[in-house]
């Protein structure tokens, strides 16, 4: 079994480890330095090439400010740790104080491998509106594309949850359906601020909302809705 630990310090940005299925042996495969990457929060993907792929929420915090995360790979024996992509540093933020950049910020969800061999994932924030992104990247890191960046927040900063057109803060892993489309969810945003379900083609075309979760109602605490 393979996993990550997100706890980090001024010395280490987190660990990638291996444990035997019976729990009898735990091995640290790689200890990230703060000049490499920081805070791997998601699980690892075993690619069709047998390599492990993952993300970190932040980048080289020991070197630069306002880092936005990384995509990395490593062999199952712990060798060959490589940063495939560093998300763009940010210098501005939106009305909800989430960072704005070109390609996304804070990838905190496990990657998936599509039928085309590319890796697909989401970022919780970043993009030109600071509301997150869907991205694809080749397994060697040479090709990266932001497939969709989520829309601008239309609610003001005092709103309990952000409202926008298409959703904000995607956190769950993507799924490639039998129709070839990628399906995913956002944790907030949409016209009611309670999240959305969306789909998008692997080339970034055909973005479509499948569902917008309903607004909360009632005067009690907690408020409720019929669907989540």
């Amino acid at each position: 079994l393979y996993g990550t630990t997100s706890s980090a310090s001024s010395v280490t940005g987190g660990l990638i480890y291996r444990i035997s299925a019976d729990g009898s042996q735990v091995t640290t495969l790689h200890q990230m330095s703060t000049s490499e990457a920081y805070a791997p929060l998601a699980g690892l993907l075993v690619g069709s090439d047998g390599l492990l792929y993952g993300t970190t929420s932040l980048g080289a915090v020991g070197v630069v400010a306002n880092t936005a995360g990384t995509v990395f790979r490593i062999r199952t024996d712990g060798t060959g740790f490589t940063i495939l992509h560093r998300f763009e540093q940010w210098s501005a933020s939106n009305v909800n104080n989430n960072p704005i950049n070109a390609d996304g910020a804070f990838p905190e969800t496990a990657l998936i491998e599509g039928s085309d061999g590319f890796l697909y994932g989401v970022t919780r924030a970043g993009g030109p509106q600071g509301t997150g992104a869907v991205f694809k990247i080749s397994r060697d890191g040479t090709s990266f594309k932001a497939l969709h960046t989520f829309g601008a927040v239309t609610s003001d900063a005092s709103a309990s949850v952000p409202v926008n057109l298409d959703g904000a803060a995607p956190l769950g892993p993507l799924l490639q359906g039998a129709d070839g489309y990628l399906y995913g969810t956002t944790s907030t945003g949409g016209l009611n601020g309670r999240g959305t379900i969306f789909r998008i083609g692997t080339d970034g075309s055909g973005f479509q909302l499948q569902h917008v979760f309903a607004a909360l109602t009632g005067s009690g605490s907690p408020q409720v809705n019929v669907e989540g």
Side-chain angles (χ1 to χ4, degrees):
L1 309 177
Y2 297 85
T4 63
T5 66
S6 61
S7 295
S9 68
S10 60
V11 177
T12 178
L15 299 177
I16 303 167
Y17 66 88
R18 177 177 66 204
I19 181 171
S20 57
D22 64 1
S24 62
Q25 186 177 12
V26 180
T27 302
T28 296
L29 297 181
H30 185 74
Q31 178 173 292
M32 297 178 188
S33 70
T34 57
S35 62
E36 287 178 327
Y38 203 84
L41 297 179
L44 298 167
L45 164 72
V46 183
S48 59
D49 55 7
L51 300 178
L52 303 174
Y53 294 87
T55 61
T56 63
S57 180
L58 300 174
V61 297
V63 179
V64 294
N66 297 342
T67 64
T70 71
V71 178
F72 67 84
R73 74 178 179 196
I74 189 172
R75 296 188 183 97
T76 55
D77 65 359
T79 62
F81 179 83
T82 303
I83 300 294
L84 299 178
H85 181 73
R86 292 189 182 277
F87 289 87
E88 184 182 84
Q89 290 175 256
W90 55 275
S91 59
S93 56
N94 67 7
V95 66
N96 297 123
N97 294 317
N98 287 316
I100 291 172
N101 66 2
D103 57 353
F106 311 154
E108 298 173 356
T109 299
L111 302 167
I112 67 165
E113 184 175 353
S115 58
D116 56 5
F118 279 81
L119 308 178
Y120 294 87
V122 298
T123 67
R124 174 173 59 83
Q129 307 299 337
T131 47
V134 181
F135 66 87
K136 71 184 291 184
I137 185 171
S138 57
R139 287 176 301 180
D140 63 4
T142 57
S143 177
F144 176 93
K145 181 181 180 181
L147 298 178
H148 180 76
T149 55
F150 290 88
V153 173
T154 55
S155 52
D156 61 36
S158 63
S160 59
V161 291
V163 171
N164 70 350
L165 181 63
D166 56 352
L171 288 177
L174 297 168
L175 165 73
Q176 187 170 28
D179 57 5
Y181 279 87
L182 303 171
Y183 290 82
T185 59
T186 65
S187 62
T188 60
L191 295 179
N192 297 313
R194 300 300 169 177
T196 66
I197 301 172
F198 64 87
R199 79 173 188 179
I200 188 171
T202 56
D203 62 354
S205 65
F207 180 88
Q208 182 180 21
L209 287 182
Q210 303 295 99
H211 185 70
V212 177
F213 286 90
L216 299 184
T217 60
S219 58
S221 180
Q223 291 182 300
V224 298
N225 69 3
V226 297
E227 57 191 16

